[in-house]
Amino acid sequence: MPKILLIEDNELNRDMLSRRLERKGYEVASVSDGRAGIAAAEAGGFDLILMDMSLPELDGWEATRWLKANPATRAVPIIALTAHAMPGDRERALEAGCDDYDTKPIDFPRLLGKIEALLALQAPP
Amino acid sequence: MSDTSPAPAGGDARTALSAIRHGLRTPINIIIGYAELMIEDAEDSGQPALTPDLQEIAGQGRQALAAVDRLLAEPSGPDDIADRSGLPAALLPPIDHIRAACSRLRGQLAEADGAGPSADLGRIEAATEQLRALVAQAAPDRLRTDEVPAGR
């Protein structure tokens, strides 16, 4: 069962997205700020990270740069999530090291497709 | 009446616009997400009668999202100020449709098991009221917070 780390400061978003992903068979752990996200990711065991970009303590861009600079976590794919959805946000997220990007409100089938595509790249042949 | 709340120029305008978009899209995300979650729950638990109103909520949420994206698009230049005055006219109808659908769902859930509305329905209702308050803040000359437009 693939394990996803959800880094999201909004409690309702965490609850809603976790429940929807669990319904699809994923194991989900969630934290509410960038520093806790880095600590959780470094502890290991995650197949993919969903990263809200507007986070307290340490925002999603900085947390992503940190994780992608760390040999222990750089291989874990990160999907950026943001409700700002401004032109250029996608490019900024990819420049920070995110592997993909999506906007909130979540288009759940689209997000699932991105998750499955990145997990397929991780799977051994 | 024209927009009376000009945004700051340049990067400040973009930052302000981004913050307003984020503020409005966040409760819309809650509305759509929990409605879709409740649809999945209803299908799994054999309560298909709830689905039409939940689909109405999700659909009206998507209409509200489209209006936010249309009215709060990034300015094409420093003189292009986002006109927030259209937000109430565009967002209040879907908000009122969502309120009505929530009210019907409350009744259906009470009749079905007598347990009252689910926690998730309460979350949708709270997000809907938050969205309405944000619309009032974003275009204060168009809507008093206690005003409920008739016929919406």
Side-chain angles (χ1 to χ4, degrees), chain A residues 20-33:
Chain A
R20 298 193 78 184
L21 289 168
E22 285 164 358
R23 188 189 289 275
K24 293 296 180 185
Y26 294 103
E27 185 178 344
V28 183
S30 62
V31 295
S32 60
D33 67 68

Side-chain angles (χ1 to χ4, degrees), chain A residues 7-115:
Chain A
I7 309 176
E8 161 68 74
D9 66 327
N10 184 296
E11 182 182 355
L12 293 180
N13 281 339
R14 281 201 309 275
D15 172 67
M16 178 248 297
L17 193 48
S18 296
R19 287 164 60 192
R20 298 193 78 184
L21 289 168
E22 285 164 358
R23 188 189 289 275
K24 293 296 180 185
Y26 294 103
E27 185 178 344
V28 183
S30 62
V31 295
S32 60
D33 67 68
R35 288 193 198 286
I38 288 172
E42 287 179 342
F46 293 101
D47 299 292
L48 184 139
I49 296 170
L50 295 175
M51 177 82 75
D52 180 26
M53 303 311 273
S54 301
L55 292 168
E57 299 288 330
L58 191 70
D59 68 29
W61 286 277
E62 275 304 307
T64 297
R65 287 189 195 100
W66 185 282
L67 292 170
K68 290 299 183 180
N70 182 344
T73 54
R74 73 164 51 126
V76 181
I78 299 176
I79 299 178
L81 299 175
T82 176
H84 290 282
M86 295 289 284
D89 282 354
R90 178 186 181 83
E91 289 70 22
R92 283 182 66 204
L94 297 181
E95 282 171 13
C98 292
D99 298 271
D100 209 336
Y101 163 93
D102 215 333
T103 56
K104 295 186 282 188
I106 299 290
D107 180 329
F108 194 61
R110 185 177 66 198
L111 179 62
L112 276 181
K114 292 180 178 183
I115 290 171

Side-chain angles (χ1 to χ4, degrees), chain A residues 13 15 19 23 84-85 87, chain B residues 14 18 21 29 34 41 44:
Chain A
N13 281 339
D15 172 67
R19 287 164 60 192
R23 188 189 289 275
H84 290 282
Chain B
R14 188 181 194 277
S18 178
R21 282 170 62 95
N29 184 45
Y34 275 108
D41 285 342
D44 285 355

Side-chain angles (χ1 to χ4, degrees), chain B residues 67-107:
Chain B
V68 168
D69 287 347
R70 185 178 70 252
L71 292 169
L72 299 179
E74 184 174 38
S76 59
D79 297 328
D80 182 11
I81 296 171
D83 182 5
R84 287 176 275 164
S85 64
L87 283 173
L91 293 182
L92 287 176
I95 286 172
D96 287 340
H97 282 296
I98 292 169
R99 282 172 150 180
C102 287
S103 178
R104 290 193 297 272
L105 281 168
R106 274 179 172 272

